[in-house]
Amino acid sequence: PSLALSPREAFFAPQETLPLQQTPGRISAELVCPYPPGIPVLMPGETISPNSLNTLQRILNLGGCITGCSDLTLKTLKVVR
């Protein structure tokens, strides 16, 4: 993972909510943790990669769930503005 900001900076930075398809290359403003395995894929301050999004979508398609973020359906993500 590539941290562009510290988790604290990203969490308190101005944010916007975008459709998932518009988030690659942006900085995550929230924690995104799929279960299973229960290990965060995205942390606040991390640059969102297409690979991370593919992993999250694959887990959802296989019946897993997403925790930690505001949209548990993973249609949108909060990013740093």
Side-chain angles (χ1 to χ4, degrees), residues 40-60:
V41 170
L42 289 173
M43 298 284 294
E46 188 176 325
T47 302
I48 301 168
S49 72
N51 187 43
S52 295
L53 297 179
N54 289 338
T55 299
L56 291 167
Q57 195 61 55
R58 192 168 357 126
I59 290 170
L60 273 179

Side-chain angles (χ1 to χ4, degrees), residues 1-2 6 13-14 17 19 23-24 26 31 40-41 46 54 63 65 69 71 74:
S2 171
S6 74
T17 301
T23 61
R26 300 292 300 265
L31 177 109
V41 170
E46 188 176 325
N54 289 338
C65 63
C69 56
D71 181 0
L74 206 60

